[in-house]
């Protein structure tokens, strides 16, 4: 299904190469795993509802959504992405996939229990519009979960050639993200950083807890914000 309103100027639209990296590349697989685990932890901590209606914005090849669906057994799980090429790899029997703009979600109001958007807000032309759409499609008491890389480390990644200069429209720190959430009447439940390394290492989670307890969260590479619709 294709949304005719999609603009061709969307930045950071990914291709088959991204899917291959997520399936075969150690670093990409690790980052996917860490983000998925953070999202699962947030859902299990902040909702007791079963048979969830789950939406994954920026689903790419659907690998995260598949992992979430396997773990949560939702009533319905839907993934949207701007890239029709990536969505070709997302077909499965437990989720629905739609090509769509994150700022113009093709769903009715108050439909989903959880909306997830990992590593996507930095790509969209209008982050406020995306958060507004997340709020609109969420039920009262529903969760909005967003992750995005730390701006400082994103800048470093761009400087060393890991990212293209035009991949992102805007980067966000936790203060900006919290403002966006609160401006859309999403009560912020969690706003913290995670991930010490883009490739992982032994005992990373233990060391990460120590780093957080020591007030050194600035050393962490990624961020997560969880909000609830009031």
């Amino acid at each position: 299904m294709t949304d005719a309103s999609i603009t061709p100027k969307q930045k950071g639209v990914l291709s088959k190469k991204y899917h291959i990296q997520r399936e075969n590349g150690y670093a990409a697989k690790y980052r996917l795993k860490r983000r998925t685990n953070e999202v699962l932890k947030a859902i299990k901590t902040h909702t007791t509802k079963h048979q969830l209606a789950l939406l994954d914005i920026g689903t790419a090849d659907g690998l995260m959504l598949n992992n979430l669906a396997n773990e949560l057994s939702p009533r319905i799980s839907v993934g949207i992405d701007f890239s029709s090429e990536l969505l070709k790899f997302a077909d499965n029997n437990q989720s629905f996939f739609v090509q769509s703009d994150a700022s113009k979600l093709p769903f009715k109001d108050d439909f989903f229990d959880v909306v997830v958007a990992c590593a996507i807000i930095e790509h969209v032309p209008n982050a406020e519009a995306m958060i507004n759409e997340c709020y609109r499609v969420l039920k009262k008491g529903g969760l909005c979960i967003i992750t995005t890389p730390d701006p400082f480390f994103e800048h470093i990644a761009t400087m060393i050639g890991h990212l293209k200069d035009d991949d992102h429209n805007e980067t966000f720190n936790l203060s900006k993200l919290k403002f966006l959430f609160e401006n859309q009447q999403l009560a912020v439940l969690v706003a913290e950083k995670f991930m010490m390394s883009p490739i992982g290492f032994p005992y990373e989670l233990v060391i990460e807890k120590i780093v957080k307890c020591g007030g050194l969260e600035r050393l962490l590479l990624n961020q997560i914000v969880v909000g609830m619709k009031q």
Side-chain angles (χ1 to χ4, degrees), residues 2-220:
T2 301
D3 187 339
S5 66
I6 291 177
T7 167
K9 297 182 180 181
Q10 178 79 48
K11 289 187 177 183
V13 179
L14 300 172
S15 63
K16 177 181 178 180
K17 181 179 178 181
Y18 182 66
H19 167 70
I20 294 172
Q21 290 174 339
R22 299 229 297 182
E23 284 210 317
N24 303 305
Y26 179 82
K29 288 170 69 174
Y30 174 76
R31 292 193 296 271
L32 171 63
K33 179 181 177 181
R34 278 304 312 270
R35 288 196 296 262
T36 303
N37 287 345
E38 291 296 322
V39 169
L40 275 172
K41 181 174 71 174
I43 295 172
K44 292 180 177 181
T45 300
H46 297 288
T47 183
T48 58
K49 185 172 181 179
H50 300 289
Q51 296 294 296
L52 298 168
L54 173 64
L55 173 63
D56 182 22
I57 298 175
T59 195
D61 50 15
L63 293 180
M64 174 181 282
L65 184 58
N66 291 345
N67 292 335
L68 293 175
N70 287 336
E71 182 73 21
L72 299 169
S73 299
R75 173 174 58 84
I76 184 172
S77 55
V78 182
I80 73 154
D81 202 274
F82 198 89
S83 172
S84 58
E85 183 175 347
L86 270 177
L87 287 175
K88 293 176 183 177
F89 300 95
D91 291 332
N92 63 61
N93 295 324
Q94 57 186 346
S95 300
F96 300 95
F97 294 97
V98 180
Q99 185 189 18
S100 179
D101 189 327
S103 301
K104 301 173 184 177
L105 298 176
F107 309 110
K108 64 182 182 180
D109 297 355
D110 309 309
F111 184 78
F112 292 100
D113 299 292
V114 177
V115 174
V116 176
C118 287
I120 181 66
I121 192 171
E122 63 270 19
H123 298 294
V124 300
N126 189 331
E128 185 175 355
M130 189 192 92
I131 299 296
N132 182 62
E133 281 291 272
C134 291
Y135 180 89
R136 180 183 66 79
V137 301
L138 272 175
K139 296 178 183 177
K140 185 175 181 181
L143 298 179
C144 177
I145 305 171
I146 285 181
T147 75
T148 189
D150 177 89
F152 174 73
F153 293 107
E154 279 297 275
H155 177 65
I156 292 176
T158 301
M159 289 182 62
I160 65 176
H162 180 65
L163 294 174
K164 297 178 182 178
D165 288 336
D166 60 353
D167 266 353
H168 296 164
N169 277 282
E170 182 180 0
T171 56
F172 297 86
N173 58 27
L174 287 176
S175 295
K176 281 186 179 180
L177 290 171
K178 288 170 66 177
F179 175 79
L180 284 174
F181 273 53
E182 291 166 350
N183 197 46
Q184 294 295 334
Q185 301 181 46
L186 287 163
V188 176
L189 306 179
V190 175
E192 63 184 19
K193 297 181 70 176
F194 68 97
M195 194 184 296
M196 286 201 68
S197 164
I199 60 174
F201 56 84
Y203 306 109
E204 179 178 3
L205 294 181
V206 174
I207 298 173
E208 195 171 300
K209 288 181 180 180
I210 295 172
V211 166
K212 289 182 179 181
C213 290
L216 297 173
E217 278 196 339
R218 64 183 179 275
L219 299 177
L220 304 180

